[in-house]
């Protein structure tokens, strides 16, 4: 195994087990092995060898169990001199020892003295390569000097890789070691001619360095099969190998011997994942999917033509893909795939890597290939200029341009290198290329120049060209400069240009970037020996803005100098398909400028596609989006639909995720398309040529990867886009504001428009320069968008509702508050911003009255004014009073609750403000809100209310265990269908907890940024949606082209679909998302939910506890204030806790609401306990009073009862004597009956025995009769008819018929028994059969039977078998005769016995009759006797009852007397206790308040903080507020008692005070407990607490009557433990469902810092009533909820950071063991 430690550590652990299994088999001398489910043969000579380079990037450390199986062998640096000597000797060198030492010395000196470069290699492979080349030269020219041969080999192998400064040093070292050796130049005559021919054909210069690098590439390929072209962008790498490729083709075409054509397979390895590059297995189906590179290599390998095949890897190196190529680059020359396929490099195949640097390559990789390094100075920018100028048509123009380049460009670059930087790194040649492209756009093909020479004269034409050249230079070289807070490079460039170049002068005002060439200024005039300026300001070319009230604000475009000049540059470059890039911070208008340009393109010529990149965009998604607007043309050529050109607008091009090697997949894909005009299809892995596409891009250098790959950046003409200055901003927004004001507003309002714009710009500038982004305030990015958002709010004003300047200014102030203040996250920032707004307001509008402007309420809404304006929507106007606003919202809340799940909201002032803010956002087109606040702040509830107020349908996703990207994609398509197709206003409310996959943010980012989500809008979906809006599009007067339909659909969707994102600011997740997905902040209105202020807390508490039983009206206010105090102080202590203990604890508004709810519940429970106890004592007192009264009554009753007892005794004795007499008579009659019964029994036994004997003998006759019947059954009419038809029967048949006639003879033997007589008897067959069937077998004639026995049965032939052979009828009759005779003989024996049996039965009947009479007489006597006994028993019972009653009365009297005497003292105490209960009940108000606060808030703190909160803060505050409470009250007194604590201790709960407190919190908390339990104390106790002993079950076959009541065996009892699960185990939701439905306790152990969102309904106990039962929604299921269900959550983390949402859903309990 080579490079063994490149395998992942997880896989190595598995490999260790496999190797151990093999080695164990070898030790046991086994011949076979069961390995990985397969039986394999084991050869004893097997050996396992691995090689590895430790310490390189991408390498793993071997696990210990694998190290133990392999014997380590350290490979030391070999004696290279000895190796060189031996190899040289083997190659035929005579002086090998000296030359070998020289070679090693040279490489040693190079390693020590040359610069450190990633691509330098002085190791074994480099030396071996030199020696192999030297041997080859020696064999070709044996006569050449050995020193010269070695020197040539060293030079050819080393010079190509050296950077420029190292070349002189290398030559000096060679001169010192090989003095006097001169290497003759190689003759590459044919190749050199072919190279120059192709350079000329490609309009390239015959640059000496380029030609040298082409030759070096050729030499490297001759020596090594794998080579690398290394160098920065635009240094000639691609030109070198392409020129060599073309030269091969030229020489092949010329039929030069030894030359073949070259086919290049170009792959950018970073544009694919590893599986897409090399192939991989599908982890689910285990199917192999081929890779692009493996497919290319297989194709090249299979091609048997002699043509060369170059596998060209043009892309950045990383350790993953390049290490996989090691076996290709070394002597193996084989690509080994994970499928075990091995693709060899055939002799015509070569590997070529074109890379910028080798920072990520290991030395092992560097040593495997030849390196040709391209220095920056090898080519430079001059050859490009020369080639471009040479391509111009007119000689005069060419000469002029050459002079201009020489005069301007070099000096400018020199100054730029020393004094300025561009907004992104740009090489000089890129700027020169950019300049040439601008000149192309201006000058065209040269005809313009020729025409101008004629019209204005040669001198003026040359001045015009120079003016254009200056203009192009300014933008090509200086267009990338920028200004920031420290430096203004653009202004510095302006000063340099004015000072340095004075031939063509710019006007003094402004900067050189503010002017454009005007041909109207020509010919130029000379004033004071200075030419007049040919430039006019861009501002004079700006098109005036025309206001359109119907236009959505987001589509408004106001041209400015900046937009005009950048658009002009696009106009110059785009027709020639040159890519342009705008670079600038967020909110600088980059996207707006591009969109305006794209909208202005001719729709018959151009199509466009906007693609927003983000951190999850990979090359596959990008290629899919770009291919979605292309169609196949011919063969492998693809292009836009029809004959159009496609303009791809790639926004946020630097946002894709940067891998650990510094590269981005989508950028690599784009570079392949830019450089090679195509890419590989992802399904068929074939090359596709992409035609008629061009690019415009935007880049934000403060986000994402900051920059992109320089090799892609150089393909763009790059411009820095600055934040517009105050003048530009004033122009933009004054145009908009004045345009709106002039639609009918009062003149006084119109006059204020300019002041409003100036105040807005000044305030925005002040805010941006005061509030800076930080790690916490990362969203404090204020730019052009904020000013635009304020203006958008101003444009919502209407003439009808804004009637005075005061109201308009109040609207302005309101919009400023919403845009700026709603983003502030601290009270200090809010106050500071408020002061800034006050200053600005007073500066511009003080004459309107500052108090009047700032008078509260300052709020504008669309739902407080009901009359509708022309558009059918409520107007956006100010709220007259807080009462009106609150009343309106209360009405809306009531309406909402009537049709939806009830929200019990308290609309205090802050909640009202948030509803107004949310409705303000989502009630406008493209309005999306970002609500940021800790969990439980009310974000979702207020969003639902706001959406309801706006008349929108509300949608929220349902997170399930299996919810994934496909479900989210389906939900989004449904929302787009609802909004875009049906025009239904919809509010999509999404929380950060519902984002189960970060890729969901990709869709949301696209939705917010443009409304177009390429990943979900496939071609079919687009067609469906486009067709759905075709009618609306036509109705709007828009031509229904596919592009227009799609734009209309997206715009409609953005108008009706509104997003409310409810995110938490806690932790890094929100900050990271905001950085990765810019639209999250840029394209939403931010609303920060601050903690509830004290008055809000008091208001909410007042609302919920007012009217609660047990709280006096005078105490309500103090209780509410104390609750607010508790909540506030816990916040303060949480901050202290974080500082001192570094532990996080959060309180949220939900925590406060839960405190109120728990307080009400506990108070009601304690009052109910008190009521029950009080009732018991009062009932006891009543019972004691009634007991004293009843004692006297009992004594009287006792005397009466004793008299009754005596009477009962006498009557019972008398009845007893009479019963005795009657009993003796009955006994005598019983004796007589017994004698008769014995007689009858004896007779019955005899009869039974005789009957059994008869039946046994009759049973013997039964088979005989049956045989006779069967014999008759065998007869049928046909057989008898056939028999009687015989003239003479077969022998013996006449005997059978004779026997039949004898039996039928009625006791007489017929005289004629011949066959004739028989035929007569059978004459009527039916009658004959009836005679046989109905024959009286019991009375067969004796004489007939004797005759048959005598004459027939003795014959041997007289049997059924012999007759059957003769006649079936005869056989049947024969059987009948035989069986009738046999039956008769049995019958004559049995019949006499039958007669005797009948006589015996008659005798038995007589005896039974007599016995019955005797029994009847005895029964009568017994009945009489029983009646007497009943009378006696009743009399006895009455006597006993009387005695018992008397005794009971006696006992009652005794006990009552003792009770009254014993409770005499208790009577006094209970009476006193009942009086004290009322006082105790009043003190419950405070006692329960302390206990509820303790349970709600204290669990996360340690002992010290718990004591401070309870004893130093809460109780003193209650005392100060005079809330009734028990003196010396402690929370545990209300939460538990000593007996319960003892039980807990017995179950394993530690007995320290903190643990007992924790147990009490768990027993009383309203939210499910979450145990911070690293030492596992809490979970052990909980498990034992819920240990259930299940007794032995009663067996199913247990017979209670026989065995008695079942008693379980204690030893057979079963212990049932509570269910414990982890969120990481599979299908854990099944266990949760079972526990919920069966009401069992459940423990979720060892959770991390997040809880699966699917459990949110369980954590919140969000039950729903369905009829009589409760259900809870778990994912997409409704599970029946058993109220006995209990949930515990535990973590082993010692210091977890749970976000507020989890703290609000659970009760955090700290079980950490501490010293205190």
């Amino acid at each position: 195994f080579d490079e063994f430690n490149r395998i992942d550590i997880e896989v190595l652990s598995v490999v260790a087990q496999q190797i151990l299994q093999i080695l164990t088999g070898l030790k046991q001398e086994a011949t076979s092995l069961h390995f990985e489910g397969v039986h394999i043969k084991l050869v004893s000579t097997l050996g396992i060898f691995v090689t590895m380079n430790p310490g390189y990037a991408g390498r793993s450390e071997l696990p210990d169990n694998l190290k133990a199986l392999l014997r380590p062998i350290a490979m030391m640096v070999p004696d290279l001199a000895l190796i060189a000597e031996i190899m040289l000797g083997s190659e035929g060198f005579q002086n090998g020892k000296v030359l070998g030492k020289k070679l090693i010395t040279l490489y040693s000196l190079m390693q020590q003295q040359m610069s450190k470069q990633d691509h330098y290699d002085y190791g074994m492979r480099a030396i071996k390569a030199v020696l192999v080349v030297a041997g080859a030269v020696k064999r070709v020219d044996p006569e050449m000097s050995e020193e010269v041969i070695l020197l040539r080999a060293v030079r050819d192998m080393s010079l190509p890789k050296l950077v420029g400064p190292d070349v002189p040093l290398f030559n000096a070292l060679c001169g010192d070691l090989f003095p006097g050796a001169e290497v003759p130049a190689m003759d590459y005559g044919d190749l050199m001619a072919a190279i120059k021919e192709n350079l000329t054909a490609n309009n390239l210069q015959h640059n000496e360095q380029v030609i040298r690098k082409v030759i070096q590439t050729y030499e490297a390929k001759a020596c090594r099969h794998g080579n690398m072209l290394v160098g920065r962008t635009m240094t000639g790498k691609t030109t070198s190998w392409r020129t060599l490729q073309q030269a091969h083709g030229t020489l092949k075409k010329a039929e030069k011997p030894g030359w073949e054509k070259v086919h290049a397979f170009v792959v950018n390895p970073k544009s694919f994942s590893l599986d897409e590059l090399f192939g991989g297995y599908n982890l689910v189906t285990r199917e192999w999917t081929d890779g692009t590179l493996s497919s290319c290599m297989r194709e090249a390998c299979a091609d048997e033509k002699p043509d060369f095949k170059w596998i060209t890897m043009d892309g950045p190196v990383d350790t993953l893909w390049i290490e996989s190529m090691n076996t290709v680059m070394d002597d193996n020359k084989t690509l080994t795939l994970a499928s075990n396929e091995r693709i060899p490099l055939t002799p015509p195949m070569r590997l070529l890597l074109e890379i910028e640097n080798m920072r990520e390559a290991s030395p092992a990789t560097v040593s495997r290939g030849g390196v040709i390094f391209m220095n920056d100075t090898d080519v430079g920018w001059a050859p490009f200029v020369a080639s471009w100028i040479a391509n111009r048509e007119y000689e005069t123009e060419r000469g002029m341009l050459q002079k201009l380049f020489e005069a301007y460009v070099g000096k400018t670059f020199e100054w730029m290198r020393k004094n300025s930087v561009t907004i992104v790194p740009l090489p000089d040649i890129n700027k020169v290329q950019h300049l040439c492209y601008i000149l192309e756009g201006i000058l065209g093909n040269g005809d313009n120049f020729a025409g101008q020479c004629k019209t204005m004269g040669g001198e003026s034409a040359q001045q015009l060209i120079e003016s254009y050249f200056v203009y192009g230079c300014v933008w090509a070289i200086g267009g990338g400069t920028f200004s920031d807070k420290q430096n203004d490079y653009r202004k510095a460039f302006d000063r340099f240009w004015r000072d340095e170049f004075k031939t063509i002068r710019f006007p003094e005002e402004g900067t050189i970037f503010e002017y454009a060439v005007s041909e109207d200024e020509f010919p130029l005039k000379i004033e004071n020996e200075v030419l007049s300026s040919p430039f006019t300001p861009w501002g004079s070319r700006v098109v005036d803005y025309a206001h359109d009230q119907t236009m959505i604000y987001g589509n408004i475009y106001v041209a400015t100098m900046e937009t005009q000049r950048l658009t002009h540059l696009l106009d110059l470059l785009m027709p020639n398909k040159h890519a342009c890039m705008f670079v600038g911070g967020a909110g600088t208008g980059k996207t707006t400028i591009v969109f305006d340009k794209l909208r202005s393109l001719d729709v018959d010529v151009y199509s466009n596609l906007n693609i927003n990149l983000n951190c999850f965009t990979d090359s596959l998604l990008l290629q899919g989006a770009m291919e979605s607007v292309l169609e196949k043309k011919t063969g492998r050529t693809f292009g836009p639909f029809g004959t159009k050109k496609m303009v791809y607008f790639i926004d946020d091009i630097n946002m894709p995720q940067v891998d650990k090697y510094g590269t981005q997949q989508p950028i690599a894909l784009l570079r392949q398309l830019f450089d090679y005009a195509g890419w590989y299809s992802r399904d068929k892995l074939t090359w596709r040529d992409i035609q008629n596409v061009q690019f415009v891009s935007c880049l934000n250098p403060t986000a994402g990867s900051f920059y992109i790959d320089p090799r892609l950046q150089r393909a763009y003409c790059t411009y820095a886009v600055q934040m517009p200055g105050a003048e530009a901003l004033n122009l933009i927004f004054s145009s908009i504001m004045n345009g709106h004001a002039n639609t009918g507003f009062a003149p006084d309002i119109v006059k204020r428009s300019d002041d409003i714009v100036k105040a807005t710009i000044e305030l925005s500038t002040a805010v941006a320069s005061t509030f800076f982004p930080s790690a916490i305030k990362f969203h404090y990015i204020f730019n052009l968008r904020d000013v635009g958002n304020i203006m958008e709010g101003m444009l919502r004003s209407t003439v009808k509702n804004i009637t005075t300047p005061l109201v308009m200014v109040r609207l302005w102030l309101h919009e400023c508050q919403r845009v700026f203040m709603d983003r502030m996250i601290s009270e200090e920032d809010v106050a500071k911003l408020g002061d800034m707004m006050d200053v600005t307001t007073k500066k511009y509008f003080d004459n309107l009255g500052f108090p009047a402007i700032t008078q509260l309420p300052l709020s504008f809404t669309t739902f407080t004014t009901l009359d509708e304006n022309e558009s059918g929507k409520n107007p956006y106007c100010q709220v007259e009073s807080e009462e009106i606003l609150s009343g309106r919202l209360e009405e809306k809340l009531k309406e909402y609750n009537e049709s939806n799940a009830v929200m019990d909201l308290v609309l205090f002032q802050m909640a009202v403000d948030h509803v107004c803010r949310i409705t303000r956002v989502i009630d406008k087109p493209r309005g999306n809100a970002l609500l940021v606040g800790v969990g439980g702040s009310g974000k979702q509830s207020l969003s639902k209310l706001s959406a309801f107020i706006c008349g929108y349908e509300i949608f929220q996703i349902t997170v399930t265990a299996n919810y994934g990207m496909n479900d989210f994609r389906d939900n989004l398509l449904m929302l787009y269908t609802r909004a875009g197709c049906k025009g239904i206003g919809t509010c999509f409310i999404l929380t950060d907890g519902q984002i189960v996959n970060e890729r969901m943010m990709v869709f949301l980012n696209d939705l917010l940024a443009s409304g177009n989500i390429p990943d979900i809008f496939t071609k079919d979906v687009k067609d469906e949606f486009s067709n759905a809006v075709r009618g609306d599009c036509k109705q709007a007067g828009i031509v229904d082209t596919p592009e227009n339909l799609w734009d209309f659909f997206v715009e409609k969707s953005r108008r009706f679909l509104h997003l409310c994102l409810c995110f938490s600011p806690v932790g890094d997740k929100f900050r990271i998302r905001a950085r990765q997905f810019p639209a999250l902040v840029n394209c939403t209105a931010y609303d920060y939910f601050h903690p509830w202020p004290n008055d809000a807390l008091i208001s909410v508490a007042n609302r919920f506890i007012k009217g609660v039983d047990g709280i006096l009206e005078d105490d309500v206010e103090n209780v509410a204030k104390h609750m607010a105090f508790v909540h506030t102080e816990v916040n303060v202590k949480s901050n202290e806790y974080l500082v001192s203990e570094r532990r996080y604890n959060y309180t949220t508004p939900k925590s406060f609401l839960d405190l109120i709810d728990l307080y009400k519940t506990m108070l009601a429970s304690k009052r109910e306990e008190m009521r029950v106890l009080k009732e018991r004592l009062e009932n006891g007192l009543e019972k004691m009073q009634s007991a004293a009264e009843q004692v006297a009554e009992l004594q009287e009753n006792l005397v009466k009862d004793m008299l009754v007892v005596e009477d009962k005794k006498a009557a019972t004795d008398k009845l007893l004597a009479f019963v005795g007499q009657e009993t003796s008579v009955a006994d005598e009659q019983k004796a007589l009956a017994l004698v008769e019964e014995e007689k009858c029994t004896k007779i019955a036994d005899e009869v039974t025995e005789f009957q059994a004997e008869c039946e046994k003998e009759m049973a013997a006759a039964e088979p005989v009769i049956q045989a006779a019947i069967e014999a008759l059954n065998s007869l049928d009419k046909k057989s008898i008819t056939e028999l009687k038809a015989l003239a003479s029967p077969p022998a013996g048949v006449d005997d059978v018929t004779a026997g039949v006639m004898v039996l039928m003879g009625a006791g007489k033997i017929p005289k004629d028994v011949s066959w004739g007589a028989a035929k007569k008897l059978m004459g009527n067959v039916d009658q004959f059969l009836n005679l046989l069937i109905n024959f009286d077998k019991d009375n067969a004639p004796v004489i007939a039977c004797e005759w048959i026995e005598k004459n027939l049965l003795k014959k041997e032939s007289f049997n059924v078998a012999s007759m059957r052979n003769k006649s079936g009828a005869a056989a049947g009759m024969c059987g009948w005769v035989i069986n009738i005779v046999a039956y008769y003989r049995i019958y004559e024996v049995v019949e006499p016995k039958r007669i005797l049996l009948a006589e015996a039965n008659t005798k038995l009947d007589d005896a039974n009759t007599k016995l019955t009479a005797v029994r009847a007489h005895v029964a009568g006597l017994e009945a009489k006797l029983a009646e007497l006994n009943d009378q006696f028993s009743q009399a006895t019972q009455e006597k006993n009852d009387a005695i018992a009653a008397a005794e009971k009365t006696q006992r009652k009297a005794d006990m009552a007397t003792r009770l009254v005497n014993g409770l005499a003292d208790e009577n006094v105490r209970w009476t006193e206790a009942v009086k004290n209960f009322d006082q105790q009940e009043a003190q419950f108000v405070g006692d329960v308040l302390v206990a509820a606060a303790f349970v709600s808030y204290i669990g996360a703190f340690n002992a010290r903080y718990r004591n401070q909160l309870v004893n130093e803060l809460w109780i003193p505050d209650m005392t100060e507020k005079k809330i009734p409470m028990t003196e010396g009250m402690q929370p545990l007194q209300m939460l538990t008692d000593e007996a319960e604590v003892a039980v807990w201790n017995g179950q394993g709960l530690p007995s320290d005070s903190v643990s007992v407190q924790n147990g009490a919190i768990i027993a009383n908390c309203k939210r499910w407990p979450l145990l911070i339990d690293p030492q596992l104390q809490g979970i052990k106790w909980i498990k034992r607490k819920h240990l259930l002993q299940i007794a032995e079950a009663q067996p199913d076959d247990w017979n209670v009557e026989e065995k008695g009541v079942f008693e379980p065996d204690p030893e057979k009892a079963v212990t049932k433990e509570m269910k414990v699960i982890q969120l990481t185990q599979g299908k854990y939701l099944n266990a949760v469902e079972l526990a919920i439905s069966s009401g069992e306790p459940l423990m979720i152990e060892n959770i991390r810092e997040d809880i699966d969102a699917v459990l949110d309904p369980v954590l919140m106990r969000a039950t729903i009533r369905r009829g009589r039962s409760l259900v809870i929604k778990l994912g997409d299921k409704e599970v029946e909820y058993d109220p006995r269900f209990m949930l515990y959550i535990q973590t082993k983390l010692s210091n977890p950071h749970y976000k507020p949402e989890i703290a609000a859903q659970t009760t955090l309990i700290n079980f950490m063991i501490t010293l205190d």
Side-chain angles (χ1 to χ4, degrees), residues 838-939:
D838 290 347
V839 170
T840 307
T841 304
K842 289 177 181 177
K843 178 178 178 180
Y844 287 94
F845 311 111
D846 200 33
N847 56 353
L848 293 176
F850 182 75
I853 295 173
T854 57
Q855 181 182 353
L856 298 178
L858 180 56
S859 185
F860 284 74
T861 70
T862 56
F863 58 85
T864 51
T865 304
L866 300 181
D867 57 317
E868 296 187 347
N869 57 24
E870 296 80 3
S871 64
K873 290 181 69 71
N874 291 335
Y876 188 59
C877 55
Q878 70 174 338
V879 176
E880 298 298 330
S881 69
E882 291 182 358
E883 291 74 19
I884 293 174
L885 180 58
S886 298
R888 184 68 178 148
L889 281 179
E890 290 290 352
E891 291 176 14
K892 288 293 184 180
L893 178 60
K894 185 177 179 181
E895 291 177 22
Y896 177 90
N897 289 335
E898 287 173 356
S899 56
N900 299 279
V902 175
M903 291 194 301
D904 193 6
L905 297 181
V906 180
L907 294 174
F908 54 91
Q909 189 56 48
M910 180 181 278
V912 170
D913 291 343
H914 282 299
V915 171
C916 294
R917 294 170 191 174
I918 298 169
T919 53
R920 166 187 169 272
V921 174
I922 64 176
D923 200 37
K924 61 184 180 181
R926 302 185 184 180
N928 300 293
L930 176 60
L931 314 180
V932 181
V934 297
S937 302
K939 301 186 292 294

Side-chain angles (χ1 to χ4, degrees), residues 782-798:
F782 302 99
N783 50 43
L784 186 62
R785 285 193 182 93
D786 302 300
V787 183
N789 289 334
I790 294 171
M791 287 298 111
E792 182 180 13
M794 300 302 295
L795 262 60
R796 299 178 73 182
S797 59
T798 58

